[in-house]
Amino acid sequence: MDNRDTVARLVSRYFPDHVIGEILSKRWIDNAIPFTALVLTVVVLGSVIPGFLSLSSLTDFSRQFAEFGLVVLALTIVMISGGIDLSVASVFSLAVLFSLIGVNVYQWPVPAVLAAILGMGMLCGALNGVLVGYLRLRAFLTTLVSLVIFRSVYEIVFLKMSTAMMSGFADSDLWIFIGEGSVFGIPLSFIITLVIAAAWHVVLSRMRPGWRLTAVGGARRSAHNAGINVRLMVFLAYVASGTMCALAGFLFAARLGSAGSDTGVGLEVQALTAAVLGGTAIGGGRGSVAKAIIGSLLVLLLTNGLINLGISGPVTSTILGAVLLAAVFVDMRWQKHRHRLLAKVYVSPAYLTLPPAPKVDAPASPYALNDRLREVEIIGLGQIEGPEDVILDRDDNLYCGTRHGDIVRFFGPDHKRHEVFAHIGGHPLGMAFDRSGNLLVCIGGMGLFQVAPDKTVTKLTDETNRSWTSIVDDSRLRLADDVDVAPDGRIYFSEATVRYEQEDWATDALESRASGRIICYDPRTGKTRTEIPKLVFANGVAMCRDGESFLFAESWTCSISRYWFAGPNQGRRERVISDLPGYPDNINRASDGNYWLALLGMRGPALDLALTMPGFRRRMAKRVAPDQWLYPNINTGCVVKFNEKGEILDSLWDLGGLNHPMITSMREHRGWLYLGGVSNNRIGRYRLKDADPNWCAQDAYWGPAP
């Protein structure tokens, strides 16, 4: 290995350049700029203004934030849905006014006033919701009109009731406690806002209403086509906005105990500035509680800081307007260029060196080329697409998945009749039968599923434990691709990569980074955990006959390994084959005690050399169209037989790929070898001359049927 190779290997191993792309792909990266601005603002104002960060100042600030934060959160909810609510300030003002009238003038009980105020906020929001959501009027103009109407009501009532309101006195300890009280030194209003913010965070990030709201804001037509009631979601967003603004006004009235003709004037500009500054998209579909909080803190700090510095109100408003304009500009530019930047840095090839490929053109080679697979019989030609894996039951019925999300069953023994055994969705990949005859299926992008003999479909798992060091959320299963079952019922399955989806397998091949894994699901506990991390495109799992270990394939390293999950060697891992001539896929048992292995493509010297040149592959990913990248040769199908020592015992080829250009799986059953391919539209059946004509894998695993 020369110096350049050494440097490339060390840089690839110890410089985690792929982390940059993974960070840019996270949703919370939108908060980085406003959060940095928030920290700088605190540092600057804290050093310039004496006592700005004192306990009394922070207590007063938290009460202001409780009210302002609710208004910003209200506006954020509407903006996530794809709308805008310019009437938030007017609803806030009405809530302040009627709270003071109810408490000071009419001496209503505080709970009754709160209920009335929240009801008023709901009605105001419902008015906007009906006009925008159901009558489909433009949100900007509609809420601008409602702003004027609500403000006019405020001014009319204020002129009539101002004297009585100011001369009245609220003789209520509860009212005083809401405005001035605290719990363990924390203002009550601040606690209320935090509770509401936490609840909304759960709704937006963990519950269906939040997901639907985001979907509506991102693409209303697509959301409608997906079955979401778009009008109802928009209506509810405005109702929530009005309710939270009313609550904010109630808290404001309790704190100050008075109102003026200018109460709430300009608040909508401040709230909009905070929402946009925090990272909430003006066009909808992007926003969070964290963004609303960051934006609220930033705007409130700027406003209070400018006031403490003696800057007049008009100048403060001008500065906030300039900040809003800058925030809109940055938001638009960031959204425009983020994906372009991400596309340039996300693909991060690793250094990978392979042993020399074995000879396939020498007659004495165990991989000697032949055309034996051209003799296969064809099953289901044109009736299926993408049978990545095939499997047979005790009754000689043949099962395979299709790219349309179906599991198709061909009835034995001739396999001419077929039916859709189950519709799951996604693309069914690896399959295995458990002891009870349930069909276990790996679904790309969806996880591990079970299909019972009565065709009932059950999701077993779609996530595993998340690793502490992973930037990418590796708890979600992206590309589960093959599965097998241990004698004790534990299910082991491979996941090719945590960085890419199934359609991006070629990008993962270009990277050849150790981002795959073997995962274990235990039906007895319902728990899923990662058994073997950091594999290079884990692809293929087969239980060994000792009941304590299994074989697994790593496609891009062209290798087969063995892992002991039980027994005295538990946790041990060893390489069985390290120099395959192609890229291994599914592994399955043979009737003679050995194993069959599918090679989905053949190695080539150009790609082998490129694997030692991560910089070259990175430049190729940036400058060359994906359809012109260096790819594995997937035009030649091959199946090999090997034993547990790693010795190659036989090889079957289809040169030129006339019948099976990309073999991804094979199953031996009663003297025949059945072939599947993820890019094929057929299943092949090849007669094995020396195989046991009565051997059935399901019986070999679990014994004869009772």
Side-chain angles (χ1 to χ4, degrees):
M1 181 180 294
D2 60 24
N3 293 333
R4 288 180 298 179
D5 286 344
T6 301
V7 172
R9 179 176 59 84
L10 293 176
V11 170
S12 174
R13 175 174 294 183
Y14 297 109
F15 183 74
D17 51 349
H18 65 284
V19 172
I20 299 174
E22 291 177 355
I23 290 176
L24 288 176
S25 69
K26 303 299 290 183
R27 293 181 62 183
W28 50 257
I29 194 63
D30 290 343
N31 299 338
I33 295 177
F35 181 77
T36 302
L38 176 62
V39 173
L40 291 176
T41 301
V42 172
V43 172
V44 172
L45 294 179
S47 60
V48 172
I49 302 174
F52 188 77
L53 298 178
S54 64
L55 181 60
S56 60
S57 178
L58 291 177
T59 301
D60 184 61
F61 178 83
S62 64
R63 298 185 194 277
Q64 297 179 51
F65 169 79
E67 302 146 13
F68 183 65
L70 282 174
V71 176
V72 175
L73 182 58
L75 182 57
T76 297
I77 298 303
V78 174
M79 292 175 66
I80 291 175
S81 72
I84 195 168
D85 189 358
L86 299 178
S87 67
V88 290
S90 298
V91 176
F92 172 86
S93 302
L94 285 176
V96 174
L97 179 62
F98 288 115
S99 295
L100 293 173
I101 292 175
V103 174
N104 289 357
V105 178
Y106 295 107
Q107 299 292 313
W108 284 6
V110 173
V113 173
L114 175 60
I117 294 302
L118 294 179
M120 181 208 69
M122 293 177 63
L123 288 175
C124 293
L127 176 61
N128 287 328
V130 170
L131 295 175
V132 177
Y134 286 99
L135 299 184
R136 308 181 72 177
L137 302 181
R138 293 186 179 275
F140 183 88
L141 293 176
T142 300
T143 57
L144 180 62
V145 171
S146 60
L147 178 154
V148 174
I149 294 174
F150 298 156
R151 190 69 200 182
S152 299
V153 173
Y154 175 86
E155 293 177 353
I156 293 172
V157 176
F158 179 77
L159 289 176
K160 293 184 177 181
M161 303 294 297
S162 58
T163 302
M165 182 177 60
M166 297 304 175
S167 60
F169 176 76
D171 186 14
S172 172
D173 294 336
L174 178 59
W175 181 249
I176 297 174
F177 179 70
I178 293 174
E180 302 177 5
S182 60
V183 179
F184 300 110
I186 303 175
L188 177 64
S189 58
F190 184 72
I191 295 175
I192 293 173
T193 297
L194 288 184
V195 171
I196 294 174
W200 270 109
H201 172 73
V202 173
V203 170
L204 292 176
S205 62
R206 296 291 185 271
M207 298 179 67
R208 290 183 180 178
W211 302 338
R212 291 170 179 171
L213 192 71
T214 303
V216 168
R220 291 196 177 185
R221 183 175 295 276
S222 298
H224 173 75
N225 293 337
I228 298 175
N229 191 332
V230 174
R231 296 182 178 182
L232 177 62
M233 295 308 300
V234 173
F235 172 81
L236 293 177
Y238 279 99
V239 171
S241 174
T243 305
M244 284 189 287
C245 289
L247 178 59
F250 177 83
L251 297 177
F252 180 89
R255 179 170 65 90
L256 293 185
S258 63
S261 59
D262 60 346
T263 298
V265 173
L267 181 60
E268 64 277 349
V269 176
Q270 290 181 311
L272 182 59
T273 303
V276 176
L277 200 57
T280 302
I282 296 178
R286 180 170 59 88
S288 66
V289 173
K291 290 178 170 61
I293 291 175
I294 291 175
S296 302
L297 291 172
L298 189 52
V299 169
L300 204 55
L301 284 170
L302 284 174
T303 303
N304 289 353
L306 293 173
I307 292 174
N308 288 333
L309 292 174
I311 298 176
S312 62
V315 177
T316 300
S317 299
T318 302
I319 293 175
L320 287 178
V323 170
L324 174 60
L325 183 63
V328 172
F329 175 80
V330 171
D331 180 73
M332 293 179 62
R333 301 298 294 179
W334 168 249
Q335 290 305 311
K336 181 178 180 180
H337 295 287
R338 175 187 177 185
H339 295 289
R340 187 180 302 173
L341 175 63
L342 182 60
K344 291 183 178 180
V345 302
Y346 191 82
V347 178
S348 176
Y351 180 92
L352 182 63
T353 180
L354 301 179
K359 299 291 185 180
V360 297
D361 54 359
S365 171
Y367 300 104
L369 299 175
N370 56 71
D371 283 324
R372 292 163 62 184
L373 291 184
R374 291 195 179 180
E375 304 172 9
V376 299
E377 299 179 9
I378 301 301
I379 299 173
L381 179 63
Q383 299 173 339
I384 51 176
E385 293 185 24
E388 195 272 347
D389 195 12
V390 294
I391 194 169
L392 295 100
D393 61 20
R394 293 185 175 97
D395 298 323
D396 302 333
N397 298 315
L398 173 64
Y399 301 79
C400 71
T402 75
R403 68 179 71 257
H404 303 297
D406 297 328
I407 295 178
V408 177
R409 175 165 62 180
F410 289 87
F411 294 99
D414 56 6
H415 305 122
K416 293 182 179 180
R417 295 186 304 113
H418 70 278
E419 68 170 0
V420 175
F421 179 64
H423 178 76
I424 299 180
H427 192 165
L429 302 176
M431 297 184 288
F433 282 111
D434 66 10
R435 188 181 299 274
S436 301
N438 299 307
L439 182 61
L440 307 174
V441 188
C442 288
I443 310 293
M446 296 174 61
L448 179 67
F449 283 70
Q450 171 186 285
V451 185
D454 63 359
K455 303 182 180 181
T456 302
V457 177
T458 305
K459 181 183 73 175
L460 298 182
T461 181
D462 60 0
E463 61 181 5
T464 183
N465 58 297
R466 180 168 182 173
S467 57
W468 290 98
T469 58
S470 177
I471 302 298
V472 171
D473 183 6
D474 61 355
S475 63
R476 183 175 73 87
L477 302 181
R478 289 177 178 265
L479 188 47
D481 52 16
D482 196 24
V483 59
D484 211 348
V485 188
D488 62 1
R490 283 183 291 177
I491 301 170
Y492 291 88
F493 59 99
S494 56
E495 183 180 29
T497 174
V498 300
R499 284 172 53 83
Y500 297 101
E501 308 293 342
Q502 181 176 351
E503 63 272 13
D504 297 320
W505 68 268
T507 307
D508 191 88
L510 181 73
E511 279 197 344
S512 293
R513 182 173 294 280
S515 61
R517 54 193 173 176
I518 302 294
I519 298 171
C520 175
Y521 170 76
D522 192 340
R524 297 168 297 185
T525 62
K527 294 183 178 180
T528 309
R529 59 181 175 83
T530 299
E531 185 78 18
I532 313 175
K534 297 183 179 180
L535 300 178
V536 184
F537 209 81
N539 197 1
V541 178
M543 287 290 151
C544 296
R545 288 170 171 81
D546 62 1
E548 298 178 348
S549 62
F550 57 78
L551 300 167
F552 66 90
E554 292 180 86
S555 293
W556 312 140
T557 63
C558 302
S559 66
I560 304 296
S561 298
R562 186 175 184 177
Y563 176 81
W564 279 262
F565 60 86
N569 294 320
Q570 184 174 0
R572 179 185 164 198
R573 177 171 144 194
E574 69 175 16
R575 187 62 57 88
V576 177
I577 306 176
S578 60
D579 59 347
L580 287 165
Y583 305 100
D585 204 306
N586 288 6
I587 310 170
N588 288 302
R589 291 181 183 179
S591 60
D592 58 2
N594 298 304
Y595 300 89
W596 293 105
L597 169 67
L599 299 181
L600 62 88
M602 296 298 113
R603 291 168 58 179
L607 186 55
D608 281 3
L609 178 61
L611 292 177
T612 65
M613 306 166 64
F616 165 76
R617 281 148 49 221
R618 183 180 292 106
R619 291 190 296 273
M620 180 172 64
K622 291 181 180 180
R623 302 176 184 177
V624 179
D627 59 352
Q628 298 180 10
W629 290 352
L630 286 174
Y631 281 97
N633 174 16
I634 59 175
N635 295 318
T636 300
C638 180
V639 175
V640 300
K641 181 189 284 187
F642 68 97
N643 59 25
E644 292 183 358
K645 297 179 180 179
E647 299 170 338
I648 304 302
L649 306 176
D650 198 2
S651 59
L652 308 173
W653 293 81
D654 181 8
L655 298 180
L658 296 183
N659 282 327
H660 291 278
M662 185 180 182
I663 298 177
T664 55
S665 67
M666 71 280 104
R667 299 275 182 170
E668 182 179 338
H669 183 78
R670 305 197 194 283
W672 294 88
L673 191 67
Y674 294 81
L675 308 173
V678 72
S679 63
N680 297 340
N681 65 345
R682 71 203 78 178
I683 296 173
R685 188 170 82 153
Y686 175 77
R687 186 67 172 176
L688 298 171
K689 297 180 180 179
D690 299 326
D692 183 351
N694 299 313
W695 189 83
C696 169
Q698 198 172 0
D699 289 341
Y701 269 80
W702 310 115

